[in-house]
């Protein structure tokens, strides 16, 4: 598992503001969730094995996240239309942000070189940020195991 390239943010930093189109035809920005804990998780692609496991784990624990006053936001560089299909197919109850122009992945330092079967390419690293009600980064998970991750995040809330 590769560590995110360019991850310059650290715990305690003010989280970069963002605004993006979402699944369901909406728009969301970090400012919309001021005063709440925000789980901002970055993933490579909709409807791929690891990303589906991770999204479904957040889905399965979603009631508990809500109970603890946390918002879950998934971010990838896929389109809002792709997010719509992914969310419907797997009954995802949380918002997916479409970062097609790579503004958010760049601001959070999760866009970088990856390699798969010897081939190098640019892509989104699987990294999660827990942003506190004050807009500061409370915790960063730079390496994520998709099927265990939601439980790890819950334990930190």
């Amino acid at each position: 598992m590769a560590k995110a390239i360019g991850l310059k943010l650290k715990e305690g930093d003010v989280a970069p503001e963002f605004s993006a189109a979402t699944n369901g035809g909406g728009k969301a920005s970090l400012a919309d969730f001021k005063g709440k804990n925000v789980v901002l998780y970055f993933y490579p692609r909709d409807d791929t094995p690891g990303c589906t496991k991770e999204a479904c784990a957040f889905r399965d624990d979603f009631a508990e996240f809500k109970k603890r006053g946390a918002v879950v936001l998934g971010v990838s560089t896929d389109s809002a239309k792709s997010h719509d299909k992914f969310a419907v197919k797997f009954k995802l109850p949380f918002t997916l942000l479409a970062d097609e122009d790579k503004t958010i992945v760049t601001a959070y330092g999760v866009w970088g070189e990856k390699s798969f079967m010897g081939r190098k390419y640019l892509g989104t690293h699987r990294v999660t940020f827990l942003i506190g009600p004050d807009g500061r980064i409370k915790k960063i998970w730079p390496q994520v195991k998709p099927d265990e991750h939601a439980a790890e995040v819950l334990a930190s809330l």
Side-chain angles (χ1 to χ4, degrees), residues 23 41 55-56 59 83 86-94 96:
N23 59 310
Y41 85 93
C56 290
R59 175 200 65 201
H83 285 343
F86 186 45
V88 168
K89 183 175 180 179
F90 294 100
K91 298 178 175 59
L92 304 178
F94 49 84
L96 299 175

Side-chain angles (χ1 to χ4, degrees), residues 39-43 54-55 58 72-75 94 96 127-129:
V39 176
L40 187 66
Y41 85 93
F42 291 90
Y43 64 98
E54 186 175 18
F58 277 115
V72 176
L73 301 174
V75 184
F94 49 84
L96 299 175
V127 179
T128 298
F129 295 82

Side-chain angles (χ1 to χ4, degrees), residues 17-87:
E17 180 52 61
F18 58 79
S19 182
T22 66
N23 59 310
K27 225 176 162 39
S29 67
L30 184 56
D32 297 339
F33 306 105
K34 195 168 176 59
K36 293 187 175 211
N37 281 308
V38 175
V39 176
L40 187 66
Y41 85 93
F42 291 90
Y43 64 98
R45 290 205 82 60
D46 289 339
D47 208 1
T48 55
C51 299
T52 299
K53 272 185 198 168
E54 186 175 18
C56 290
F58 277 115
R59 175 200 65 201
D60 295 347
D61 288 337
F62 187 69
E64 193 58 38
F65 280 102
K66 258 182 103 162
K67 202 187 299 177
R68 296 183 192 191
V71 174
V72 176
L73 301 174
V75 184
S76 84
T77 57
D78 293 308
S79 67
K81 192 174 179 178
S82 174
H83 285 343
D84 284 339
K85 289 181 196 158
F86 186 45

